[in-house]
Amino acid sequence: MMKALPLLALVLSVPFLSAYGFGYEDAVADGTVMPGIGAGNLLLGGAMAIGYGEPTSVLLNPANLGRVSAPGIEICIGPAIVTENVEDSIGLHSRSYLSLGPTSLATRIPAGRSLTLGAGLARVSDVSYDGRHYLAENPLIPGYITGAEALEASGGLWEAVAGCSYRVARWVSLGVSAGPRFGSADLEYAYDDRVGEEDSVATWGWDESGFCVHAGATFPFGLNSASVAWTSGSDHYPPRVAAGAILHSGGTAEDFSIGVEGEIRDPGEKNTFIGRLSGRFSPNPGFILGGALSFSDRGSESSRSNLGFAMGTAITIGRAVLRGGFMFESSSRRTTAFGYEGFDTVTDKVGSCSVGLDWTL
């Protein structure tokens, strides 16, 4: 047991660090902020401030609710597949696991010429992790595995909000939404001593039940628009602020548009900056293709930047819009895989999928 105590102490100390990449670093901190909350949101690379008026805007930038004048309801669900590759003195180890991806339910209700109401529920962070690391501590037998440690985590945060968008003037709409942010995380660390009898197991976790606020503004200029949005933080979720713009090629809104956005997240000690560039193209009415590129800098000395790309489509059938979105992100860091002293090269890859239905009532 004495041999496992340093490993256990290090793992238990990590939750107090500010680390925002996905995989192990997030699992032992506050979880991973979801890359998007729905299929349409994934198509924009997980954009927060800009949008096209989907009902899920109430959970991102509620000012965008008024961009569409008809009532509607949107539902989205999908999985996320995460792969962790660890290269250490023993070799290259790969492990994959599955978690719940972008999931949301939202509604948009026009209540007047200038007022639009909205409400929604969405999964906003994920704490899923399933990792294993092998130890070779006998210097006389290089590569001989003397122990293994495993960490399993599950849980995440949800938000349930209600709010509105109000067109103050022809050139500006303001929006606000608020509601509970709630969830929990459960973690289990296990050490398997393969040359002795010093096995150990530890479990811990956290619960959150708080309040969240979303606020934003959108400035339309014909088919073009500029937007800014803010989301409050809580014990296990970072405050976020984003600003961006949508530029159309001209003609109708269904031609071609480009979206640009920058976001800053504040985990406490070091800011995380995210940049997004997205595009949508409609080759014919009722059919949209789109894609996005994203870049993030976590401000971590041990981690390089995250890179991501997204793609998606939307097909209109009568009053229904079927949406599908996929986003892939990759992050590489040189640090401990987890638990013991030493340096590894760790590459985390996550693919998030979501399918959704946007029904205009």
Side-chain angles (χ1 to χ4, degrees), residues 168-192:
V168 179
R170 186 175 182 181
W171 52 273
V172 60
S173 292
L174 303 178
V176 64
S177 63
R181 179 182 290 149
F182 55 93
S184 63
D186 296 298
L187 299 93
E188 179 178 288
Y189 170 82
Y191 174 70
D192 177 18

Side-chain angles (χ1 to χ4, degrees), residues 17-321:
L17 302 178
S18 294
Y20 284 83
F22 34 79
Y24 164 73
E25 284 188 332
D26 273 9
V28 295
D30 291 327
T32 302
V33 174
M34 297 297 293
I37 63 171
N41 187 226
L42 284 183
L43 188 147
L44 298 177
M48 173 182 165
I50 63 174
Y52 292 85
E54 294 87 353
T56 48
S57 298
V58 71
L59 293 144
L60 299 164
N61 182 357
N64 287 329
L65 283 170
R67 292 179 65 92
V68 177
S69 59
I73 186 169
E74 181 179 7
I75 182 170
C76 301
I77 191 169
I81 302 173
V82 185
T83 299
E84 179 186 67
N85 295 313
V86 180
E87 185 175 358
D88 55 23
S89 60
I90 303 175
L92 178 64
H93 315 284
S94 180
R95 193 175 182 89
S96 299
Y97 52 95
L98 185 70
S99 67
L100 182 62
T103 301
S104 58
L105 172 65
T107 185
R108 176 189 61 238
I109 307 172
R113 186 173 182 180
S114 300
L115 179 65
T116 303
L117 306 179
L121 170 71
R123 193 166 191 255
V124 296
S125 75
D126 179 42
V127 192
S128 299
Y129 181 74
D130 184 357
R132 178 173 291 271
H133 191 213
Y134 299 97
L135 308 176
E137 299 176 316
N138 190 338
L140 300 178
I141 313 177
Y144 176 68
I145 296 176
T146 58
E149 50 183 354
L151 180 68
E152 295 184 5
S154 61
L157 291 176
W158 294 77
E159 288 181 0
V161 302
C164 67
S165 168
Y166 184 74
R167 175 161 288 191
V168 179
R170 186 175 182 181
W171 52 273
V172 60
S173 292
L174 303 178
V176 64
S177 63
R181 179 182 290 149
F182 55 93
S184 63
D186 296 298
L187 299 93
E188 179 178 288
Y189 170 82
Y191 174 70
D192 177 18
D193 186 358
R194 300 192 175 183
V195 295
E197 298 180 355
E198 299 179 356
D199 298 345
S200 63
V201 176
T203 59
W204 71 99
W206 50 260
D207 293 283
E208 177 162 322
S209 180
F211 193 73
C212 67
V213 177
H214 300 268
T218 293
F219 306 90
F221 303 96
L223 295 177
N224 306 316
S225 64
S227 301
V228 61
W230 169 81
T231 296
S232 65
S234 55
D235 290 343
H236 300 281
Y237 193 84
R240 306 167 62 188
V241 61
I246 295 176
L247 304 174
H248 283 279
S249 61
T252 65
E254 287 77 19
D255 288 338
F256 180 76
S257 63
I258 294 177
V260 292
E261 181 177 289
E263 177 188 340
I264 296 177
R265 297 175 186 170
D266 180 14
E269 296 180 359
K270 296 180 179 179
N271 292 329
T272 296
F273 173 78
I274 303 172
R276 303 181 179 97
L277 175 65
S278 59
R280 299 201 333 172
F281 172 65
S282 180
N284 58 65
F287 182 55
I288 294 175
L289 293 173
L293 297 174
S294 63
F295 165 86
S296 65
D297 184 352
R298 299 200 302 266
S300 172
E301 296 179 357
S302 65
S303 302
R304 296 200 295 268
S305 302
N306 290 356
L307 297 175
F309 72 86
M311 56 185 179
T313 186
I315 302 173
T316 301
I317 305 174
R319 294 186 177 184
V321 179

